[in-house]
């Protein structure tokens, strides 16, 4: 089939997502400022914003204050915090976290189900979580409507059907999350792998908002990385394309193992930001960055919990690789929200950005 290019509808949807994303990043702006920031015509911005205003996604925020003004007055517009609510459901071994959020990401109510959900019976476990999530919305949403439910799992899940593969410590067979959650909700259901969703959240709401090329590196009981180019995450499921954690390393006596397995083996036994593991990690990250040069590296995970750990890793990386001295190294801005922000980001992208 021949490539026929973008049609007008697709182009309009892309521009719509750009406008909502811009307002999410910068806050309230006038139509003129939006057009200038996105290099769109004022007419196109006016048309798309009018549709978003009529749908209730956006709302007028008042006139722009200017000392000298001539001609038509400038009105700021922004995301309507009362547009609806998003339910974030995060499955982990031993617990499920349910979080009700406004579209701005403000937490209305969060509850953790620990021990109350029988994980030895997967269908019953998921049904219990879905029912509890529905009751959470009914009890705390007031008159607000639900616009989407985001569900994240620490494994591989089919994004279309919600069918999840067996997961160690969670359930021992395939589970149809989509079928079970659709019994409780008639709104869009969005299913994502937890790693991918958290990466997306960093791009939408964290340190990656204003980066053209971004590397996100997680180090803890495992090692994982994601490359983000123009706010698009390269991924094929549980692991990101070019995942540094999947690189093979020499761990002595001629033995080799994946870097992520090495981290799991030594985690808690040594400081991952110092010593042999740190040296290996610096080498692998440096080699990776010689191929793909980001403008920012975001560090996250238990190994970088303290500011001095981030500083120590940055110093070692740049001493080993002087060509990286201009690359900004930052700590994750969403790490304290990881129990809900990934699932929220997945639903936000689908329902508000239509991506």
């Amino acid at each position: 089939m021949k490539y026929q290019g973008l049609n007008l509808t697709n182009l309009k949807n892309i521009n719509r997502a750009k406008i909502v994303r811009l307002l999410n990043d910068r806050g309230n702006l006038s139509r003129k400022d939006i057009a200038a920031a996105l290099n769109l015509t004022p007419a196109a911005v006016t048309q798309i914003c009018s549709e978003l205003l009529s749908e209730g996604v956006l709302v007028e925020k008042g006139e722009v204050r200017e000392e000298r003004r001539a001609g038509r007055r400038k009105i700021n517009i922004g995301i309507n915090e009362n547009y609806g609510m998003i339910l974030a459901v995060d499955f982990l071994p031993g617990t499920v976290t349910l979080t009700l959020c406004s579209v701005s990401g403000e937490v209305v109510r969060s509850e953790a189900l620990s021990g109350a959900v029988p994980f030895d019976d997967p269908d019953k476990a998921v049904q219990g979580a879905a029912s509890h999530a529905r009751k959470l919305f009914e009890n705390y949403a007031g008159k607000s409507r639900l616009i989407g439910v985001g569900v994240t799992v620490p494994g591989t899940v089919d994004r279309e059907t919600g069918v999840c593969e067996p997961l160690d410590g969670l359930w021992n067979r395939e589970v149809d999350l989509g079928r079970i959650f659709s019994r409780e909700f008639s709104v869009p259901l969005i299913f994502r792998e937890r790693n991918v969703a958290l990466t997306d959240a960093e791009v939408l709401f964290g340190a990656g908002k204003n980066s053209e090329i971004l590397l996100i590196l997680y180090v803890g009981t495992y090692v994982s990385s994601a490359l983000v180019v123009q706010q698009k995450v390269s991924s094929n499921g549980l692991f990101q394309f070019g995942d540094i954690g999947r690189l093979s390393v020499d761990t002595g006596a001629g033995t080799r193992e994946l870097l992520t397995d090495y981290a799991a083996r030594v985690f808690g036994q040594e400081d991952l930001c110092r010593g042999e593991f740190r040296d290996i990690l610096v080498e692998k990250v440096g080699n990776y960055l010689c191929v793909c040069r980001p403008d920012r590296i975001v560090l996250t995970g238990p190994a970088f919990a303290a500011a001095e750990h981030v500083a120590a890793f940055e110093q070692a990386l740049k001493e080993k690789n002087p060509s990286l001295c201009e690359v900004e190294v930052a700590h994750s801005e969403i790490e304290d929200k990881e129990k809900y922000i990934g699932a929220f980001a997945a639903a936000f992208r689908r329902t508000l950005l239509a991506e």
Side-chain angles (χ1 to χ4, degrees):
M1 181 180 295
K2 293 183 179 180
Y3 174 67
Q4 298 179 344
L6 287 173
N7 59 42
L8 291 178
T9 299
N10 289 339
L11 183 59
K12 187 175 180 180
N13 288 340
I14 291 172
N15 289 336
R16 172 188 170 114
K18 286 181 178 179
I19 290 172
V20 176
R21 187 194 291 269
L22 179 68
L23 294 172
N24 176 66
D25 291 347
R26 299 191 188 179
N28 305 331
L29 294 170
S30 70
R31 294 166 179 80
K32 182 178 179 180
D33 293 336
I34 293 171
L38 298 178
N39 196 27
L40 297 174
T41 66
V45 171
T46 296
Q47 180 184 8
I48 295 172
C49 287
S50 294
E51 293 177 1
L52 289 169
L53 284 165
S54 65
E55 294 172 17
V57 176
L58 302 184
V59 65
E60 292 188 340
K61 298 286 188 174
E63 187 173 353
V64 179
R65 292 186 177 181
E66 297 178 324
E67 293 184 2
R68 295 181 180 180
R69 173 175 54 81
R72 182 179 298 178
R73 62 191 182 126
K74 292 171 64 176
I75 302 295
N76 271 337
I77 57 176
I79 295 176
N80 181 8
E81 295 184 4
N82 297 318
Y83 175 63
M85 291 192 172
I86 290 173
L87 257 174
V89 182
D90 183 47
F91 283 94
L92 283 176
T95 188
V96 183
T97 302
L98 312 173
T99 308
L100 182 64
C101 304
S102 68
V103 292
S104 64
E106 180 183 356
V107 175
V108 176
R109 177 76 176 183
S110 185
E111 296 182 3
L113 308 181
S114 300
V117 181
F119 285 102
D120 56 338
D121 186 342
D123 286 347
K124 187 175 181 181
V126 175
Q127 182 61 60
S131 297
H132 200 104
R134 176 178 53 79
K135 293 175 183 176
L136 181 71
F137 170 73
E138 293 173 348
N139 291 337
Y140 295 98
K143 296 181 179 180
S144 298
R145 68 188 184 105
L146 187 66
I147 62 173
V149 179
V151 181
T152 51
V153 294
T156 303
V157 62
D158 187 303
R159 298 184 179 186
E160 297 300 323
T161 65
V163 174
C164 183
E165 295 182 358
L167 296 172
D168 289 342
L170 197 50
W171 39 64
N172 57 10
R173 60 177 174 79
E174 190 176 85
V175 179
D176 192 340
L177 300 175
R179 176 179 57 83
I180 297 172
F181 269 85
S182 63
R183 295 172 183 165
E184 304 289 339
F185 300 99
S186 57
V187 297
L189 302 172
I190 301 92
F191 303 96
R192 288 291 183 273
E193 299 82 3
R194 195 172 193 266
N195 284 2
V196 177
L198 287 173
T199 298
D200 211 22
E202 194 74 67
V203 174
L204 286 172
F205 310 114
K209 286 192 296 186
N210 300 314
S211 298
E212 285 293 313
I213 303 178
L214 172 73
L215 177 71
I216 301 176
L217 177 64
Y218 177 97
V219 180
T221 54
Y222 62 91
V223 175
S224 181
S225 69
L227 182 66
V228 183
V229 180
Q230 294 182 340
Q231 299 192 326
K232 295 292 184 181
V233 182
S234 298
S235 167
N236 65 340
L238 179 60
F239 298 105
Q240 325 289 348
F241 287 125
D243 188 350
I244 292 172
R246 310 303 291 172
L247 297 178
S248 176
V249 299
D250 185 354
T251 54
T255 60
R256 300 189 69 82
E257 62 183 323
L258 297 181
L259 182 59
T260 188
D261 294 336
Y262 182 23
R265 182 166 56 82
V266 302
F267 184 79
Q269 301 177 27
E270 63 177 79
D271 187 343
L272 297 185
C273 288
R274 293 180 175 84
E276 183 179 0
F277 178 86
R278 196 276 309 275
D279 293 341
I280 292 176
L281 182 64
V282 164
E283 177 186 357
K284 294 301 180 182
V285 172
N287 292 341
Y288 182 90
L289 297 181
C290 287
V291 178
C292 180
R293 183 67 59 86
D295 47 50
R296 177 178 290 185
I297 303 171
V298 175
L299 304 178
T300 183
F304 302 118
E308 58 265 30
H309 293 164
V310 175
F313 179 82
E314 179 180 7
Q315 180 180 355
L317 179 66
K318 293 182 176 180
E319 285 179 353
K320 182 75 173 179
N321 305 274
S323 63
L324 300 178
C325 286
E326 299 302 318
V327 177
E328 181 183 356
V329 178
H331 188 257
S332 170
E333 295 179 2
I334 63 166
E335 197 166 62
D336 60 337
K337 305 174 182 178
E338 67 173 20
K339 291 183 179 180
Y340 73 91
I341 196 66
F344 173 82
F348 182 93
R349 183 179 288 280
R350 172 72 65 83
T351 56
L352 272 81
L353 300 183
E355 294 179 344

